[in-house]
Amino acid sequence: MTDLLGERLFVAAVTPMRADEAVDLDSLATLVDAEIARGVEGVYVGGSTGEGMLLSVEERIAVGREAVRAAAGRVPVVAHVGAMTTRDAVVLARAAQRDGVAAISMIPPLYYRYSTAEVTAHYRAVIDAVDLPFIVYNIPQFTGRDVVDGGYEELLALPQVIGIKHTSQNLFGAERLVARYPDVALINGFDELYLPARMVGATAAIGTTVGLQLELFRSMRAREAAGDVEGARAVQVRVNETVEGMVQEGVFAAVKYLVGKYAVECGPCRRPMPSLDQDGRARLDAVWERLLQNIETTRAEDRIAG
Ligand code: MN9
């Protein structure tokens, strides 16, 4: 089970769409293949980056199936199965198992104010419906709930729960989760906090920009492992230049555009998620050029050091 996560760098994959916002499965296959060729160590589909909550259940099942097919066993595929209803989440989880995903992951249910006991029951129903490792997706900025606040002890003690994808700036909370749940991996969710999260015990990472700047993430991991924290920090600064430039344009539209530079055109986002305009694309061209320079610089430094 720990093998599945380890220190793996997972790309949170976008869901390519055609101009009419229909899901483009052919481009998804091309994307998954290109990301693996680039060296990503895992693929996470149907999450925030993948606009999972903007897709129908059928579309999400098709995305998971196509990603597994394209990955062809080279790296694990994790499917996000969070949904408004327990019923839909169970359907997604069962399909994910049938189609060969390595693990599933899930946000808590949205909109209504459920108690932690009700949220736990939702999680349990999905976990019990399949025989798959499970990753709790903690993203308080979107869900209004935070695992750090407590109340999820029963959930986190389940043997199926192998990790928490922590997409939160709360590093104290992250450290407390690591301390309280040593058997549950803390997976970094904010690319801009990869190194700081590693410092408090995060192991793997799942992120929007992991594919784009994979070499930088690998370099950070290697430098940190070699005890060169200052060097790793210098790379985090470079990663954050990219993240800042993307967040200014809307990170999901931005990543759809930028993966087109090395993989495949991924089209617009599904409304109401905004897409880019011409000026946004031009600004991202500059972000991309800067990223290429940053990769070159990092490579050169690592060559000298290594
Ligand atoms: O979960 C992503 N978070 C969101 C992963 O989608 C909210 C991150 O990878 C961010 O997109 C990225 C930029 O903030 O770190």
Side-chain angles (χ1 to χ4, degrees), residues 251-275:
V251 71
F252 306 127
V255 71
K256 276 190 147 170
Y257 177 65
L258 289 176
V259 296
K261 306 269 187 198
Y262 65 87
V264 65
E265 287 290 321
C266 291
C269 292
R270 181 165 287 181
R271 290 169 298 165
M273 185 65 73
S275 293

PDB file of all heavy atoms in Angstrom, residues 251-275:
ATOM      1  N   VAL A 251      -6.006  29.037 -12.470  1.00  0.00           N
ATOM      2  CA  VAL A 251      -5.028  27.949 -12.609  1.00  0.00           C
ATOM      3  C   VAL A 251      -5.525  26.821 -13.517  1.00  0.00           C
ATOM      4  O   VAL A 251      -4.739  26.204 -14.239  1.00  0.00           O
ATOM      5  CB  VAL A 251      -4.584  27.433 -11.208  1.00  0.00           C
ATOM      6  CG1 VAL A 251      -5.690  26.666 -10.497  1.00  0.00           C
ATOM      7  CG2 VAL A 251      -3.319  26.585 -11.311  1.00  0.00           C
ATOM      8  N   PHE A 252      -6.820  26.567 -13.532  1.00  0.00           N
ATOM      9  CA  PHE A 252      -7.312  25.417 -14.309  1.00  0.00           C
ATOM     10  C   PHE A 252      -7.321  25.721 -15.807  1.00  0.00           C
ATOM     11  O   PHE A 252      -6.902  24.895 -16.618  1.00  0.00           O
ATOM     12  CB  PHE A 252      -8.682  24.973 -13.795  1.00  0.00           C
ATOM     13  CG  PHE A 252      -8.667  24.693 -12.315  1.00  0.00           C
ATOM     14  CD1 PHE A 252      -9.573  25.291 -11.450  1.00  0.00           C
ATOM     15  CD2 PHE A 252      -7.705  23.853 -11.771  1.00  0.00           C
ATOM     16  CE1 PHE A 252      -9.531  25.053 -10.080  1.00  0.00           C
ATOM     17  CE2 PHE A 252      -7.648  23.602 -10.407  1.00  0.00           C
ATOM     18  CZ  PHE A 252      -8.566  24.212  -9.555  1.00  0.00           C
ATOM     19  N   ALA A 253      -7.777  26.915 -16.160  1.00  0.00           N
ATOM     20  CA  ALA A 253      -7.696  27.313 -17.571  1.00  0.00           C
ATOM     21  C   ALA A 253      -6.231  27.403 -17.990  1.00  0.00           C
ATOM     22  O   ALA A 253      -5.856  27.009 -19.105  1.00  0.00           O
ATOM     23  CB  ALA A 253      -8.395  28.648 -17.777  1.00  0.00           C
ATOM     24  N   ALA A 254      -5.397  27.904 -17.078  1.00  0.00           N
ATOM     25  CA  ALA A 254      -3.980  28.089 -17.400  1.00  0.00           C
ATOM     26  C   ALA A 254      -3.297  26.752 -17.678  1.00  0.00           C
ATOM     27  O   ALA A 254      -2.533  26.606 -18.631  1.00  0.00           O
ATOM     28  CB  ALA A 254      -3.273  28.818 -16.256  1.00  0.00           C
ATOM     29  N   VAL A 255      -3.581  25.761 -16.845  1.00  0.00           N
ATOM     30  CA  VAL A 255      -2.888  24.480 -17.055  1.00  0.00           C
ATOM     31  C   VAL A 255      -3.393  23.807 -18.330  1.00  0.00           C
ATOM     32  O   VAL A 255      -2.629  23.179 -19.059  1.00  0.00           O
ATOM     33  CB  VAL A 255      -2.988  23.555 -15.811  1.00  0.00           C
ATOM     34  CG1 VAL A 255      -4.384  23.017 -15.610  1.00  0.00           C
ATOM     35  CG2 VAL A 255      -1.980  22.406 -15.931  1.00  0.00           C
ATOM     36  N   LYS A 256      -4.667  23.992 -18.643  1.00  0.00           N
ATOM     37  CA  LYS A 256      -5.171  23.413 -19.899  1.00  0.00           C
ATOM     38  C   LYS A 256      -4.423  24.002 -21.092  1.00  0.00           C
ATOM     39  O   LYS A 256      -4.115  23.313 -22.053  1.00  0.00           O
ATOM     40  CB  LYS A 256      -6.676  23.674 -20.039  1.00  0.00           C
ATOM     41  CG  LYS A 256      -7.523  22.649 -19.316  1.00  0.00           C
ATOM     42  CD  LYS A 256      -8.988  22.763 -19.663  1.00  0.00           C
ATOM     43  CE  LYS A 256      -9.634  21.391 -19.628  1.00  0.00           C
ATOM     44  NZ  LYS A 256     -11.113  21.443 -19.718  1.00  0.00           N
ATOM     45  N   TYR A 257      -4.134  25.283 -21.006  1.00  0.00           N
ATOM     46  CA  TYR A 257      -3.397  25.925 -22.095  1.00  0.00           C
ATOM     47  C   TYR A 257      -1.941  25.455 -22.116  1.00  0.00           C
ATOM     48  O   TYR A 257      -1.411  25.078 -23.171  1.00  0.00           O
ATOM     49  CB  TYR A 257      -3.468  27.444 -21.930  1.00  0.00           C
ATOM     50  CG  TYR A 257      -2.666  28.186 -22.966  1.00  0.00           C
ATOM     51  CD1 TYR A 257      -3.010  28.123 -24.320  1.00  0.00           C
ATOM     52  CD2 TYR A 257      -1.549  28.942 -22.606  1.00  0.00           C
ATOM     53  CE1 TYR A 257      -2.267  28.797 -25.273  1.00  0.00           C
ATOM     54  CE2 TYR A 257      -0.808  29.621 -23.553  1.00  0.00           C
ATOM     55  CZ  TYR A 257      -1.162  29.540 -24.886  1.00  0.00           C
ATOM     56  OH  TYR A 257      -0.429  30.199 -25.840  1.00  0.00           O
ATOM     57  N   LEU A 258      -1.313  25.425 -20.962  1.00  0.00           N
ATOM     58  CA  LEU A 258       0.128  25.145 -20.934  1.00  0.00           C
ATOM     59  C   LEU A 258       0.457  23.684 -21.260  1.00  0.00           C
ATOM     60  O   LEU A 258       1.505  23.415 -21.844  1.00  0.00           O
ATOM     61  CB  LEU A 258       0.731  25.566 -19.589  1.00  0.00           C
ATOM     62  CG  LEU A 258       0.809  27.093 -19.384  1.00  0.00           C
ATOM     63  CD1 LEU A 258       1.332  27.421 -17.988  1.00  0.00           C
ATOM     64  CD2 LEU A 258       1.689  27.751 -20.446  1.00  0.00           C
ATOM     65  N   VAL A 259      -0.397  22.744 -20.922  1.00  0.00           N
ATOM     66  CA  VAL A 259      -0.065  21.362 -21.305  1.00  0.00           C
ATOM     67  C   VAL A 259      -0.069  21.205 -22.828  1.00  0.00           C
ATOM     68  O   VAL A 259       0.584  20.303 -23.357  1.00  0.00           O
ATOM     69  CB  VAL A 259      -0.952  20.264 -20.641  1.00  0.00           C
ATOM     70  CG1 VAL A 259      -0.772  20.242 -19.147  1.00  0.00           C
ATOM     71  CG2 VAL A 259      -2.394  20.397 -21.026  1.00  0.00           C
ATOM     72  N   GLY A 260      -0.769  22.131 -23.493  1.00  0.00           N
ATOM     73  CA  GLY A 260      -0.730  22.132 -24.953  1.00  0.00           C
ATOM     74  C   GLY A 260       0.672  22.364 -25.508  1.00  0.00           C
ATOM     75  O   GLY A 260       0.973  22.012 -26.640  1.00  0.00           O
ATOM     76  N   LYS A 261       1.563  22.928 -24.693  1.00  0.00           N
ATOM     77  CA  LYS A 261       2.944  23.188 -25.129  1.00  0.00           C
ATOM     78  C   LYS A 261       3.756  21.891 -25.261  1.00  0.00           C
ATOM     79  O   LYS A 261       4.722  21.842 -26.013  1.00  0.00           O
ATOM     80  CB  LYS A 261       3.663  24.098 -24.124  1.00  0.00           C
ATOM     81  CG  LYS A 261       2.952  25.398 -23.819  1.00  0.00           C
ATOM     82  CD  LYS A 261       3.406  26.497 -24.761  1.00  0.00           C
ATOM     83  CE  LYS A 261       2.825  27.837 -24.358  1.00  0.00           C
ATOM     84  NZ  LYS A 261       2.894  28.800 -25.486  1.00  0.00           N
ATOM     85  N   TYR A 262       3.388  20.871 -24.492  1.00  0.00           N
ATOM     86  CA  TYR A 262       4.193  19.640 -24.575  1.00  0.00           C
ATOM     87  C   TYR A 262       3.378  18.373 -24.794  1.00  0.00           C
ATOM     88  O   TYR A 262       3.944  17.313 -25.020  1.00  0.00           O
ATOM     89  CB  TYR A 262       5.072  19.473 -23.321  1.00  0.00           C
ATOM     90  CG  TYR A 262       4.307  19.271 -22.022  1.00  0.00           C
ATOM     91  CD1 TYR A 262       3.912  18.007 -21.601  1.00  0.00           C
ATOM     92  CD2 TYR A 262       3.985  20.363 -21.223  1.00  0.00           C
ATOM     93  CE1 TYR A 262       3.214  17.831 -20.417  1.00  0.00           C
ATOM     94  CE2 TYR A 262       3.288  20.193 -20.043  1.00  0.00           C
ATOM     95  CZ  TYR A 262       2.907  18.932 -19.650  1.00  0.00           C
ATOM     96  OH  TYR A 262       2.208  18.757 -18.488  1.00  0.00           O
ATOM     97  N   ALA A 263       2.031  18.494 -24.699  1.00  0.00           N
ATOM     98  CA  ALA A 263       1.240  17.269 -24.811  1.00  0.00           C
ATOM     99  C   ALA A 263       0.173  17.395 -25.890  1.00  0.00           C
ATOM    100  O   ALA A 263       0.345  16.891 -27.000  1.00  0.00           O
ATOM    101  CB  ALA A 263       0.609  16.922 -23.461  1.00  0.00           C
ATOM    102  N   VAL A 264      -0.903  18.084 -25.588  1.00  0.00           N
ATOM    103  CA  VAL A 264      -2.023  18.125 -26.523  1.00  0.00           C
ATOM    104  C   VAL A 264      -2.921  19.317 -26.172  1.00  0.00           C
ATOM    105  O   VAL A 264      -2.982  19.737 -25.013  1.00  0.00           O
ATOM    106  CB  VAL A 264      -2.820  16.783 -26.456  1.00  0.00           C
ATOM    107  CG1 VAL A 264      -3.476  16.589 -25.092  1.00  0.00           C
ATOM    108  CG2 VAL A 264      -3.840  16.646 -27.563  1.00  0.00           C
ATOM    109  N   GLU A 265      -3.575  19.847 -27.165  1.00  0.00           N
ATOM    110  CA  GLU A 265      -4.562  20.910 -26.937  1.00  0.00           C
ATOM    111  C   GLU A 265      -5.664  20.382 -26.033  1.00  0.00           C
ATOM    112  O   GLU A 265      -6.225  19.316 -26.300  1.00  0.00           O
ATOM    113  CB  GLU A 265      -5.210  21.299 -28.277  1.00  0.00           C
ATOM    114  CG  GLU A 265      -4.321  22.085 -29.202  1.00  0.00           C
ATOM    115  CD  GLU A 265      -4.075  23.490 -28.683  1.00  0.00           C
ATOM    116  OE1 GLU A 265      -5.031  24.098 -28.146  1.00  0.00           O
ATOM    117  OE2 GLU A 265      -2.929  23.953 -28.792  1.00  0.00           O
ATOM    118  N   CYS A 266      -5.974  21.103 -24.973  1.00  0.00           N
ATOM    119  CA  CYS A 266      -6.985  20.603 -24.035  1.00  0.00           C
ATOM    120  C   CYS A 266      -8.251  21.430 -23.998  1.00  0.00           C
ATOM    121  O   CYS A 266      -9.167  21.139 -23.233  1.00  0.00           O
ATOM    122  CB  CYS A 266      -6.378  20.469 -22.643  1.00  0.00           C
ATOM    123  SG  CYS A 266      -5.169  19.128 -22.590  1.00  0.00           S
ATOM    124  N   GLY A 267      -8.298  22.471 -24.841  1.00  0.00           N
ATOM    125  CA  GLY A 267      -9.543  23.204 -25.024  1.00  0.00           C
ATOM    126  C   GLY A 267      -9.935  24.078 -23.853  1.00  0.00           C
ATOM    127  O   GLY A 267      -9.118  24.387 -22.983  1.00  0.00           O
ATOM    128  N   PRO A 268     -11.212  24.479 -23.839  1.00  0.00           N
ATOM    129  CA  PRO A 268     -11.705  25.383 -22.801  1.00  0.00           C
ATOM    130  C   PRO A 268     -12.028  24.613 -21.522  1.00  0.00           C
ATOM    131  O   PRO A 268     -11.997  23.377 -21.516  1.00  0.00           O
ATOM    132  CB  PRO A 268     -13.005  25.923 -23.419  1.00  0.00           C
ATOM    133  CG  PRO A 268     -13.509  24.766 -24.230  1.00  0.00           C
ATOM    134  CD  PRO A 268     -12.280  24.078 -24.782  1.00  0.00           C
ATOM    135  N   CYS A 269     -12.359  25.348 -20.477  1.00  0.00           N
ATOM    136  CA  CYS A 269     -12.937  24.733 -19.288  1.00  0.00           C
ATOM    137  C   CYS A 269     -14.452  24.674 -19.472  1.00  0.00           C
ATOM    138  O   CYS A 269     -15.011  25.335 -20.346  1.00  0.00           O
ATOM    139  CB  CYS A 269     -12.590  25.555 -18.045  1.00  0.00           C
ATOM    140  SG  CYS A 269     -10.832  25.493 -17.638  1.00  0.00           S
ATOM    141  N   ARG A 270     -15.081  23.870 -18.647  1.00  0.00           N
ATOM    142  CA  ARG A 270     -16.542  23.779 -18.731  1.00  0.00           C
ATOM    143  C   ARG A 270     -17.153  24.913 -17.910  1.00  0.00           C
ATOM    144  O   ARG A 270     -16.859  25.060 -16.735  1.00  0.00           O
ATOM    145  CB  ARG A 270     -17.025  22.413 -18.225  1.00  0.00           C
ATOM    146  CG  ARG A 270     -18.526  22.275 -18.331  1.00  0.00           C
ATOM    147  CD  ARG A 270     -18.974  20.851 -18.196  1.00  0.00           C
ATOM    148  NE  ARG A 270     -18.646  20.059 -19.388  1.00  0.00           N
ATOM    149  CZ  ARG A 270     -18.955  18.777 -19.531  1.00  0.00           C
ATOM    150  NH1 ARG A 270     -19.564  18.134 -18.543  1.00  0.00           N
ATOM    151  NH2 ARG A 270     -18.646  18.118 -20.621  1.00  0.00           N
ATOM    152  N   ARG A 271     -17.976  25.720 -18.539  1.00  0.00           N
ATOM    153  CA  ARG A 271     -18.599  26.834 -17.833  1.00  0.00           C
ATOM    154  C   ARG A 271     -19.441  26.343 -16.662  1.00  0.00           C
ATOM    155  O   ARG A 271     -20.048  25.262 -16.792  1.00  0.00           O
ATOM    156  CB  ARG A 271     -19.459  27.650 -18.796  1.00  0.00           C
ATOM    157  CG  ARG A 271     -18.627  28.421 -19.815  1.00  0.00           C
ATOM    158  CD  ARG A 271     -19.506  28.988 -20.904  1.00  0.00           C
ATOM    159  NE  ARG A 271     -20.162  27.895 -21.636  1.00  0.00           N
ATOM    160  CZ  ARG A 271     -21.193  28.061 -22.453  1.00  0.00           C
ATOM    161  NH1 ARG A 271     -21.694  29.259 -22.681  1.00  0.00           N
ATOM    162  NH2 ARG A 271     -21.735  27.036 -23.073  1.00  0.00           N
ATOM    163  N   PRO A 272     -19.503  27.057 -15.593  1.00  0.00           N
ATOM    164  CA  PRO A 272     -19.036  28.431 -15.409  1.00  0.00           C
ATOM    165  C   PRO A 272     -17.549  28.597 -15.112  1.00  0.00           C
ATOM    166  O   PRO A 272     -17.105  29.708 -14.877  1.00  0.00           O
ATOM    167  CB  PRO A 272     -19.861  28.923 -14.209  1.00  0.00           C
ATOM    168  CG  PRO A 272     -20.101  27.687 -13.402  1.00  0.00           C
ATOM    169  CD  PRO A 272     -20.257  26.580 -14.410  1.00  0.00           C
ATOM    170  N   MET A 273     -16.768  27.514 -15.139  1.00  0.00           N
ATOM    171  CA  MET A 273     -15.315  27.674 -14.952  1.00  0.00           C
ATOM    172  C   MET A 273     -14.805  28.526 -16.116  1.00  0.00           C
ATOM    173  O   MET A 273     -15.052  28.204 -17.273  1.00  0.00           O
ATOM    174  CB  MET A 273     -14.639  26.304 -14.964  1.00  0.00           C
ATOM    175  CG  MET A 273     -13.150  26.362 -14.658  1.00  0.00           C
ATOM    176  SD  MET A 273     -12.768  26.907 -12.998  1.00  0.00           S
ATOM    177  CE  MET A 273     -13.239  25.455 -12.070  1.00  0.00           C
ATOM    178  N   PRO A 274     -14.122  29.635 -15.826  1.00  0.00           N
ATOM    179  CA  PRO A 274     -13.704  30.530 -16.909  1.00  0.00           C
ATOM    180  C   PRO A 274     -12.559  29.957 -17.747  1.00  0.00           C
ATOM    181  O   PRO A 274     -11.732  29.194 -17.246  1.00  0.00           O
ATOM    182  CB  PRO A 274     -13.255  31.794 -16.165  1.00  0.00           C
ATOM    183  CG  PRO A 274     -12.903  31.338 -14.797  1.00  0.00           C
ATOM    184  CD  PRO A 274     -13.770  30.149 -14.489  1.00  0.00           C
ATOM    185  N   SER A 275     -12.550  30.336 -18.998  1.00  0.00           N
ATOM    186  CA  SER A 275     -11.440  29.999 -19.896  1.00  0.00           C
ATOM    187  C   SER A 275     -10.588  31.245 -20.115  1.00  0.00           C
ATOM    188  O   SER A 275     -10.897  32.311 -19.601  1.00  0.00           O
ATOM    189  CB  SER A 275     -11.987  29.445 -21.208  1.00  0.00           C
ATOM    190  OG  SER A 275     -12.614  28.198 -20.966  1.00  0.00           O
TER     191      SER A 275
END
